[in-house]
Amino acid sequence: SYSIRSPDLSGASSFPAVSSATMSTCETFVGGIMTLGVKASVLPPSDVFAILIDGVQEIQMIDVNEWREVTVDLPAGRHVIDF
């Protein structure tokens, strides 16, 4: 298990202030379900938590102040997952 946490952007003087992380799988990845615990206390229009797989947005969450389990099906092969 791994943990990703955004930095404190409250003092950001210019927008957009962006925080992101990228994970990738290799060509021998057999596929499976990625399960995440998400607490995305972000509010639009400036803040959004999104998961993109190979550049396609799969999940978008806003104003989630309690932990929520999210699952994403990852097919076999090479993929780039952006948070």
Side-chain angles (χ1 to χ4, degrees):
S1 107
Y2 296 90
S3 177
I4 301 172
R5 182 177 179 163
S6 295
D8 181 6
L9 299 174
S10 61
S13 60
S14 63
F15 288 93
V18 176
S19 174
S20 64
T22 300
M23 180 182 101
S24 61
T25 61
C26 63
E27 62 276 350
T28 59
F29 176 64
V30 296
I33 296 174
M34 178 174 66
T35 302
L36 307 159
V38 176
K39 184 177 179 184
S41 54
V42 295
L43 292 172
S46 301
D47 298 327
V48 171
F49 173 79
I51 299 173
L52 290 83
I53 299 175
D54 299 326
V56 176
Q57 183 173 299
E58 297 291 328
I59 300 215
Q60 178 176 313
M61 300 175 79
I62 56 171
D63 202 20
V64 178
N65 294 305
E66 300 294 327
W67 286 101
R68 184 177 298 171
E69 186 173 278
V70 174
T71 59
V72 179
D73 187 29
L74 291 173
R78 182 182 304 264
H79 299 286
V80 175
I81 302 102
D82 292 302
F83 303 89

Coordinates of all heavy atoms in Angstrom, one line a residue:
S1 N 0.8 -1.2 0.0 CA 0.0 0.0 0.0 C 0.9 1.2 0.0 O 2.0 1.2 0.5 CB -0.9 -0.1 1.2 OG -0.7 0.8 2.2
Y2 N 0.4 2.3 -0.6 CA 1.1 3.5 -0.8 C 0.2 4.7 -0.4 O -1.0 4.6 -0.4 CB 1.6 3.7 -2.2 CG 2.6 2.7 -2.6 CD1 2.2 1.5 -3.2 CD2 4.0 2.8 -2.4 CE1 3.1 0.5 -3.6 CE2 4.9 1.8 -2.7 CZ 4.4 0.7 -3.3 OH 5.3 -0.3 -3.7
S3 N 0.8 5.8 -0.1 CA 0.1 7.0 0.3 C 0.5 8.2 -0.6 O 1.7 8.4 -0.7 CB 0.2 7.3 1.8 OG -0.4 8.5 2.1
I4 N -0.4 9.0 -1.0 CA -0.1 10.2 -1.8 C -0.9 11.3 -1.1 O -2.1 11.2 -0.8 CB -0.6 10.2 -3.2 CG1 0.1 9.0 -4.0 CG2 -0.4 11.5 -3.9 CD1 -0.5 8.8 -5.3
R5 N -0.2 12.4 -0.8 CA -0.8 13.6 -0.1 C -0.4 14.8 -0.9 O 0.8 15.0 -1.1 CB -0.4 13.6 1.3 CG -1.1 14.8 2.0 CD -0.8 14.8 3.5 NE -1.5 16.0 4.1 CZ -1.7 16.1 5.3 NH1 -1.2 15.2 6.2 NH2 -2.3 17.2 5.8
S6 N -1.4 15.7 -1.1 CA -1.0 16.9 -1.8 C -0.3 17.9 -0.8 O -0.6 17.8 0.4 CB -2.3 17.6 -2.3 OG -2.9 16.9 -3.3
P7 N 0.5 18.7 -1.3 CA 1.2 19.7 -0.5 C 0.2 20.8 0.0 O -0.9 20.9 -0.6 CB 2.2 20.3 -1.4 CG 1.7 20.1 -2.7 CD 1.0 18.8 -2.7
D8 N 0.5 21.6 1.0 CA -0.3 22.7 1.4 C -0.3 23.8 0.4 O 0.8 24.4 0.2 CB 0.1 23.2 2.8 CG -0.7 24.3 3.3 OD1 -1.8 24.6 2.7 OD2 -0.4 24.8 4.4
L9 N -1.4 24.0 -0.3 CA -1.4 25.0 -1.4 C -2.2 26.2 -0.9 O -2.4 27.1 -1.7 CB -2.1 24.4 -2.6 CG -1.4 23.2 -3.3 CD1 -2.3 22.7 -4.4 CD2 -0.1 23.6 -3.8
S10 N -2.5 26.3 0.4 CA -3.3 27.5 0.9 C -2.5 28.8 0.7 O -3.2 29.8 0.6 CB -3.6 27.2 2.3 OG -2.5 27.2 3.1
G11 N -1.2 28.8 0.7 CA -0.5 30.1 0.5 C -0.1 30.3 -0.9 O 0.7 31.2 -1.2
A12 N -0.6 29.6 -1.9 CA -0.2 29.7 -3.3 C -0.6 31.1 -3.8 O -1.8 31.5 -3.6 CB -0.8 28.6 -4.1
S13 N 0.3 31.9 -4.3 CA 0.0 33.2 -4.7 C -0.5 33.3 -6.1 O -1.1 34.3 -6.5 CB 1.3 34.1 -4.6 OG 2.3 33.6 -5.4
S14 N -0.2 32.3 -6.9 CA -0.7 32.3 -8.3 C -1.5 31.1 -8.6 O -1.2 30.0 -8.1 CB 0.4 32.5 -9.3 OG 1.3 31.4 -9.2
F15 N -2.5 31.2 -9.5 CA -3.3 30.0 -9.8 C -3.1 29.8 -11.3 O -2.9 30.7 -12.1 CB -4.7 30.3 -9.5 CG -5.0 30.2 -8.0 CD1 -4.9 31.4 -7.2 CD2 -5.2 29.0 -7.4 CE1 -5.1 31.3 -5.9 CE2 -5.4 29.0 -6.0 CZ -5.3 30.1 -5.2
P16 N -3.2 28.6 -11.8 CA -3.6 27.4 -11.0 C -2.4 26.8 -10.2 O -1.4 26.7 -10.7 CB -4.1 26.4 -12.0 CG -3.3 26.8 -13.3 CD -3.1 28.3 -13.2
A17 N -2.7 26.5 -8.9 CA -1.8 25.8 -8.1 C -2.1 24.3 -8.3 O -3.2 23.9 -8.1 CB -1.9 26.2 -6.7
V18 N -1.1 23.5 -8.8 CA -1.4 22.1 -9.2 C -0.6 21.2 -8.3 O 0.6 21.4 -8.1 CB -1.1 22.0 -10.7 CG1 -1.3 20.5 -11.1 CG2 -2.0 22.9 -11.5
S19 N -1.2 20.1 -8.0 CA -0.5 19.0 -7.3 C -0.9 17.7 -8.0 O -2.1 17.5 -8.3 CB -0.9 18.9 -5.8 OG -0.3 17.8 -5.3
S20 N 0.0 16.9 -8.4 CA -0.3 15.7 -9.1 C 0.7 14.6 -8.8 O 1.8 14.9 -8.4 CB -0.4 15.9 -10.6 OG 0.9 16.3 -11.1
A21 N 0.3 13.4 -9.1 CA 1.2 12.2 -9.0 C 0.9 11.3 -10.2 O -0.2 11.2 -10.7 CB 1.0 11.5 -7.7
T22 N 1.9 10.6 -10.6 CA 1.7 9.6 -11.7 C 2.2 8.3 -11.3 O 3.3 8.1 -10.7 CB 2.5 10.1 -13.0 OG1 2.0 11.4 -13.3 CG2 2.3 9.2 -14.1
M23 N 1.5 7.3 -11.7 CA 1.9 5.9 -11.5 C 1.8 5.2 -12.9 O 0.9 5.5 -13.7 CB 0.9 5.2 -10.6 CG 1.2 3.8 -10.3 SD -0.1 3.1 -9.1 CE -1.1 2.2 -10.3
S24 N 2.7 4.2 -13.2 CA 2.6 3.5 -14.4 C 2.7 2.0 -14.2 O 3.3 1.6 -13.3 CB 3.6 4.1 -15.4 OG 4.9 3.8 -14.9
T25 N 2.1 1.3 -15.2 CA 2.3 -0.1 -15.2 C 3.1 -0.5 -16.4 O 3.3 0.3 -17.3 CB 0.9 -0.9 -15.3 OG1 0.3 -0.5 -16.5 CG2 0.0 -0.5 -14.1
C26 N 3.7 -1.7 -16.4 CA 4.6 -2.1 -17.5 C 3.8 -3.0 -18.4 O 2.6 -3.4 -18.1 CB 5.8 -2.8 -17.0 SG 5.5 -4.3 -16.1
E27 N 4.4 -3.4 -19.6 CA 3.7 -4.2 -20.6 C 3.3 -5.6 -20.1 O 2.4 -6.2 -20.6 CB 4.5 -4.2 -21.9 CG 5.8 -4.9 -21.7 CD 6.9 -3.9 -21.3 OE1 6.7 -2.7 -21.2 OE2 8.0 -4.4 -20.9
T28 N 4.0 -6.0 -19.0 CA 3.7 -7.4 -18.5 C 2.6 -7.4 -17.4 O 2.3 -8.4 -16.9 CB 4.9 -8.0 -18.0 OG1 5.5 -7.2 -16.9 CG2 6.0 -8.2 -19.1
F29 N 2.1 -6.2 -17.1 CA 1.0 -6.1 -16.1 C -0.2 -6.9 -16.5 O -0.7 -6.8 -17.7 CB 0.6 -4.6 -15.9 CG -0.5 -4.4 -15.0 CD1 -0.4 -4.7 -13.6 CD2 -1.7 -3.8 -15.4 CE1 -1.5 -4.5 -12.7 CE2 -2.8 -3.6 -14.6 CZ -2.7 -3.9 -13.2
V30 N -0.7 -7.8 -15.7 CA -1.8 -8.7 -16.0 C -3.2 -8.2 -15.9 O -4.1 -8.8 -16.2 CB -1.6 -10.0 -15.2 CG1 -0.3 -10.8 -15.6 CG2 -1.8 -9.8 -13.8
G31 N -3.3 -6.9 -15.4 CA -4.6 -6.3 -15.2 C -5.1 -6.6 -13.8 O -4.6 -7.4 -13.1
G32 N -6.1 -5.9 -13.4 CA -6.7 -6.1 -12.1 C -7.5 -4.8 -11.6 O -7.7 -3.9 -12.4
I33 N -7.8 -4.8 -10.4 CA -8.6 -3.7 -9.8 C -7.7 -2.9 -8.9 O -7.1 -3.5 -8.0 CB -9.9 -4.3 -9.1 CG1 -10.8 -5.0 -10.1 CG2 -10.6 -3.1 -8.4 CD1 -12.0 -5.6 -9.4
M34 N -7.7 -1.6 -9.1 CA -6.9 -0.7 -8.3 C -7.9 -0.2 -7.3 O -9.0 0.4 -7.7 CB -6.3 0.4 -9.1 CG -5.5 1.4 -8.2 SD -4.6 2.7 -9.2 CE -6.0 3.5 -10.0
T35 N -7.6 -0.3 -6.0 CA -8.5 0.2 -4.9 C -7.8 1.3 -4.2 O -6.7 1.2 -3.8 CB -8.9 -0.9 -3.9 OG1 -9.5 -2.0 -4.7 CG2 -9.9 -0.4 -2.9
L36 N -8.5 2.4 -4.0 CA -8.0 3.6 -3.4 C -8.9 4.1 -2.2 O -10.1 4.0 -2.4 CB -7.9 4.8 -4.4 CG -7.2 4.6 -5.7 CD1 -7.6 5.6 -6.7 CD2 -5.7 4.7 -5.4
G37 N -8.3 4.6 -1.2 CA -9.0 5.3 -0.2 C -8.8 6.8 -0.4 O -7.7 7.2 -0.5
V38 N -9.9 7.5 -0.7 CA -9.8 8.9 -1.1 C -10.5 9.8 -0.1 O -11.6 9.5 0.3 CB -10.4 9.1 -2.5 CG1 -10.4 10.5 -2.9 CG2 -9.7 8.2 -3.6
K39 N -9.8 10.9 0.2 CA -10.4 12.0 1.0 C -10.0 13.2 0.2 O -8.9 13.7 0.4 CB -9.9 12.0 2.4 CG -10.5 13.1 3.3 CD -10.0 13.0 4.7 CE -10.7 14.1 5.6 NZ -10.1 14.1 6.9
A40 N -10.9 13.7 -0.6 CA -10.7 14.8 -1.5 C -11.5 16.0 -1.1 O -12.5 16.3 -1.6 CB -11.0 14.4 -2.9
S41 N -11.0 16.7 -0.1 CA -11.7 17.9 0.4 C -11.4 19.1 -0.5 O -10.7 20.1 -0.1 CB -11.4 18.2 1.8 OG -10.0 18.3 2.0
V42 N -11.8 19.0 -1.7 CA -11.6 20.1 -2.7 C -12.9 20.6 -3.2 O -13.9 19.9 -3.2 CB -10.8 19.5 -3.9 CG1 -9.4 19.1 -3.5 CG2 -11.5 18.4 -4.6
L43 N -12.9 21.9 -3.6 CA -14.1 22.5 -4.0 C -13.9 23.2 -5.4 O -12.9 23.9 -5.6 CB -14.6 23.6 -3.0 CG -15.1 23.0 -1.7 CD1 -15.3 24.1 -0.7 CD2 -16.3 22.2 -1.9
P44 N -14.9 23.0 -6.3 CA -14.7 23.7 -7.6 C -15.1 25.1 -7.5 O -15.6 25.5 -6.4 CB -15.8 23.0 -8.5 CG -16.8 22.5 -7.5 CD -16.1 22.2 -6.2
P45 N -14.7 26.0 -8.4 CA -14.2 25.6 -9.7 C -12.7 25.5 -9.7 O -12.1 25.0 -10.7 CB -14.6 26.8 -10.6 CG -14.5 28.0 -9.6 CD -15.0 27.4 -8.3
S46 N -12.0 25.8 -8.6 CA -10.5 25.8 -8.6 C -10.0 24.4 -8.3 O -8.9 24.0 -8.8 CB -10.0 26.8 -7.6 OG -10.4 28.1 -7.9
D47 N -10.7 23.6 -7.5 CA -10.1 22.3 -7.0 C -11.0 21.2 -7.5 O -12.2 21.2 -7.4 CB -10.1 22.3 -5.5 CG -9.2 23.4 -4.9 OD1 -8.2 23.7 -5.5 OD2 -9.6 23.8 -3.8
V48 N -10.3 20.2 -8.0 CA -10.9 18.9 -8.4 C -9.9 17.8 -8.2 O -8.8 17.9 -8.4 CB -11.3 19.0 -9.9 CG1 -11.8 17.6 -10.4 CG2 -12.4 20.0 -10.1
F49 N -10.4 16.6 -7.7 CA -9.6 15.4 -7.6 C -10.0 14.6 -8.7 O -11.2 14.2 -8.9 CB -9.8 14.7 -6.3 CG -9.1 13.4 -6.2 CD1 -7.7 13.4 -6.0 CD2 -9.7 12.2 -6.5 CE1 -7.0 12.1 -6.0 CE2 -9.1 11.0 -6.5 CZ -7.7 11.0 -6.2
A50 N -9.1 14.2 -9.6 CA -9.4 13.3 -10.7 C -8.4 12.2 -10.9 O -7.2 12.4 -10.5 CB -9.5 14.2 -12.0
I51 N -8.9 11.1 -11.5 CA -8.0 10.0 -11.8 C -8.1 9.8 -13.3 O -9.2 9.6 -13.8 CB -8.4 8.7 -11.1 CG1 -8.2 8.9 -9.6 CG2 -7.5 7.6 -11.6 CD1 -8.8 7.7 -8.8
L52 N -7.0 9.9 -14.0 CA -6.9 9.7 -15.5 C -6.1 8.5 -15.8 O -5.1 8.3 -15.2 CB -6.3 10.9 -16.2 CG -7.1 12.2 -16.1 CD1 -6.9 13.0 -14.9 CD2 -6.7 13.1 -17.3
I53 N -6.7 7.7 -16.6 CA -5.9 6.5 -17.1 C -5.7 6.7 -18.6 O -6.6 6.8 -19.4 CB -6.7 5.2 -16.8 CG1 -7.0 5.1 -15.3 CG2 -6.0 4.0 -17.4 CD1 -7.8 3.9 -14.9
D54 N -4.4 6.7 -18.9 CA -3.9 6.9 -20.3 C -4.6 8.2 -20.9 O -5.0 8.2 -22.0 CB -4.3 5.7 -21.2 CG -3.6 4.4 -20.7 OD1 -2.5 4.5 -20.2 OD2 -4.2 3.3 -20.8
G55 N -4.7 9.2 -20.0 CA -5.2 10.5 -20.5 C -6.7 10.7 -20.5 O -7.2 11.7 -20.8
V56 N -7.4 9.6 -20.1 CA -8.9 9.6 -20.1 C -9.3 9.7 -18.7 O -9.0 8.9 -17.8 CB -9.5 8.4 -20.8 CG1 -11.0 8.4 -20.7 CG2 -9.0 8.3 -22.2
Q57 N -10.1 10.7 -18.3 CA -10.6 10.9 -17.0 C -11.6 9.8 -16.6 O -12.6 9.6 -17.3 CB -11.3 12.2 -16.8 CG -11.8 12.5 -15.4 CD -12.3 13.9 -15.1 OE1 -11.6 14.8 -15.3 NE2 -13.5 14.0 -14.8
E58 N -11.3 9.0 -15.6 CA -12.1 7.9 -15.2 C -12.9 8.3 -13.9 O -14.0 7.8 -13.7 CB -11.3 6.7 -14.8 CG -10.5 6.1 -16.0 CD -11.5 5.5 -17.0 OE1 -12.5 4.9 -16.7 OE2 -11.1 5.5 -18.2
I59 N -12.4 9.1 -13.1 CA -13.0 9.5 -11.8 C -12.8 11.0 -11.6 O -11.7 11.5 -11.8 CB -12.5 8.7 -10.6 CG1 -12.7 7.2 -10.9 CG2 -13.0 9.2 -9.3 CD1 -12.9 6.3 -9.7
Q60 N -13.8 11.6 -11.1 CA -13.7 13.0 -10.6 C -14.5 13.1 -9.3 O -15.6 12.7 -9.3 CB -14.3 14.0 -11.7 CG -14.2 15.4 -11.2 CD -14.7 16.4 -12.2 OE1 -14.3 16.3 -13.4 NE2 -15.5 17.3 -11.8
M61 N -13.9 13.7 -8.3 CA -14.5 13.9 -7.0 C -14.3 15.3 -6.5 O -13.2 15.9 -6.7 CB -13.9 12.9 -6.0 CG -14.1 11.4 -6.4 SD -13.2 10.3 -5.3 CE -14.4 10.2 -4.0
I62 N -15.3 15.8 -5.8 CA -15.2 17.1 -5.2 C -15.9 17.0 -3.8 O -16.8 16.2 -3.6 CB -15.9 18.2 -6.0 CG1 -17.3 17.9 -6.3 CG2 -15.1 18.5 -7.3 CD1 -18.1 19.0 -6.9
D63 N -15.4 17.8 -2.9 CA -16.0 17.9 -1.5 C -16.2 16.6 -0.8 O -17.3 16.3 -0.4 CB -17.2 18.8 -1.6 CG -17.6 19.4 -0.3 OD1 -16.7 19.5 0.6 OD2 -18.7 19.7 -0.1
V64 N -15.2 15.7 -0.8 CA -15.3 14.4 -0.1 C -14.6 14.6 1.2 O -13.3 14.5 1.2 CB -14.8 13.3 -1.0 CG1 -14.9 12.0 -0.2 CG2 -15.5 13.2 -2.3
N65 N -15.3 14.8 2.3 CA -14.6 15.1 3.6 C -14.4 13.9 4.5 O -13.9 14.0 5.5 CB -15.4 16.2 4.3 CG -15.3 17.5 3.5 OD1 -14.2 18.0 3.3 ND2 -16.4 18.1 3.2
E66 N -14.9 12.8 4.0 CA -14.7 11.5 4.7 C -14.0 10.5 3.8 O -14.2 10.7 2.6 CB -16.1 10.9 5.2 CG -16.9 11.8 6.1 CD -16.3 12.0 7.4 OE1 -15.6 11.0 7.9 OE2 -16.4 13.1 8.0
W67 N -13.3 9.6 4.3 CA -12.7 8.6 3.5 C -13.7 7.8 2.7 O -14.7 7.4 3.2 CB -11.8 7.7 4.3 CG -10.6 8.3 4.8 CD1 -10.3 8.9 6.1 CD2 -9.4 8.6 4.1 NE1 -9.1 9.4 6.1 CE2 -8.5 9.3 4.9 CE3 -9.0 8.3 2.8 CZ2 -7.2 9.7 4.5 CZ3 -7.7 8.7 2.3 CH2 -6.9 9.4 3.2
R68 N -13.4 7.6 1.4 CA -14.3 6.9 0.5 C -13.4 5.9 -0.3 O -12.4 6.3 -0.8 CB -15.0 7.9 -0.4 CG -16.0 7.2 -1.3 CD -16.8 8.1 -2.2 NE -17.5 9.1 -1.3 CZ -18.2 10.1 -1.8 NH1 -18.1 10.4 -3.0 NH2 -18.8 10.9 -1.0
E69 N -13.9 4.7 -0.4 CA -13.2 3.7 -1.2 C -13.6 3.8 -2.7 O -14.8 3.9 -3.0 CB -13.5 2.3 -0.7 CG -12.7 1.2 -1.4 CD -12.9 -0.1 -0.8 OE1 -12.2 -0.4 0.2 OE2 -13.7 -0.9 -1.4
V70 N -12.6 3.9 -3.5 CA -12.8 4.0 -5.0 C -12.1 2.8 -5.7 O -11.0 2.5 -5.3 CB -12.2 5.3 -5.5 CG1 -12.3 5.4 -7.0 CG2 -12.9 6.5 -4.9
T71 N -12.8 2.2 -6.6 CA -12.1 1.1 -7.4 C -12.1 1.5 -8.9 O -13.0 2.1 -9.4 CB -12.8 -0.3 -7.2 OG1 -14.2 -0.1 -7.6 CG2 -12.8 -0.7 -5.7
V72 N -11.0 1.1 -9.5 CA -10.9 1.3 -11.0 C -10.3 0.0 -11.6 O -9.3 -0.5 -11.1 CB -9.8 2.5 -11.2 CG1 -9.7 2.7 -12.7 CG2 -10.3 3.8 -10.5
D73 N -11.0 -0.4 -12.6 CA -10.5 -1.6 -13.3 C -9.4 -1.2 -14.3 O -9.6 -0.3 -15.1 CB -11.7 -2.2 -14.1 CG -11.4 -3.5 -14.7 OD1 -10.5 -4.2 -14.2 OD2 -12.0 -3.9 -15.8
L74 N -8.3 -1.9 -14.2 CA -7.1 -1.7 -15.0 C -6.9 -2.9 -15.9 O -6.7 -4.0 -15.5 CB -5.9 -1.4 -14.2 CG -5.8 -0.1 -13.4 CD1 -4.6 -0.1 -12.6 CD2 -5.8 1.1 -14.4
P75 N -7.1 -2.7 -17.2 CA -6.8 -3.8 -18.1 C -5.4 -4.2 -18.2 O -4.5 -3.4 -17.8 CB -7.4 -3.3 -19.5 CG -7.5 -1.9 -19.4 CD -7.6 -1.5 -17.9
A76 N -5.1 -5.3 -18.8 CA -3.7 -5.8 -18.9 C -2.9 -4.8 -19.8 O -3.4 -4.1 -20.6 CB -3.6 -7.2 -19.5
G77 N -1.6 -4.7 -19.5 CA -0.7 -4.0 -20.4 C -0.2 -2.7 -19.7 O -0.4 -2.4 -18.5
R78 N 0.5 -1.9 -20.5 CA 1.1 -0.6 -20.1 C 0.0 0.4 -19.9 O -0.8 0.6 -20.8 CB 2.2 -0.2 -21.1 CG 2.9 1.1 -20.7 CD 3.9 1.5 -21.7 NE 4.9 0.4 -22.0 CZ 6.1 0.3 -21.5 NH1 6.5 1.3 -20.7 NH2 6.9 -0.6 -21.8
H79 N 0.1 1.2 -18.8 CA -0.9 2.3 -18.5 C -0.2 3.3 -17.7 O 0.8 3.1 -17.0 CB -2.1 1.8 -17.8 CG -2.9 0.7 -18.5 ND1 -3.7 1.0 -19.6 CD2 -2.9 -0.6 -18.3 CE1 -4.2 -0.1 -20.0 NE2 -3.8 -1.1 -19.2
V80 N -0.7 4.6 -17.9 CA -0.2 5.7 -17.1 C -1.4 6.2 -16.3 O -2.5 6.5 -16.9 CB 0.4 6.8 -18.0 CG1 0.7 8.0 -17.1 CG2 1.6 6.3 -18.7
I81 N -1.3 6.2 -15.0 CA -2.4 6.6 -14.1 C -2.0 7.9 -13.5 O -1.0 8.0 -12.8 CB -2.7 5.6 -13.1 CG1 -3.1 4.2 -13.7 CG2 -3.9 6.0 -12.2 CD1 -2.1 3.2 -13.7
D82 N -2.8 9.0 -13.7 CA -2.5 10.3 -13.2 C -3.5 10.6 -12.1 O -4.7 10.4 -12.3 CB -2.5 11.4 -14.2 CG -1.3 11.2 -15.2 OD1 -0.2 11.3 -14.7 OD2 -1.6 11.1 -16.4
F83 N -3.1 11.2 -11.0 CA -4.0 11.6 -9.9 C -3.9 13.1 -9.8 O -2.8 13.7 -9.8 CB -3.5 11.0 -8.6 CG -3.5 9.5 -8.6 CD1 -2.3 8.8 -9.0 CD2 -4.6 8.7 -8.2 CE1 -2.2 7.5 -9.0 CE2 -4.5 7.4 -8.3 CZ -3.3 6.7 -8.6

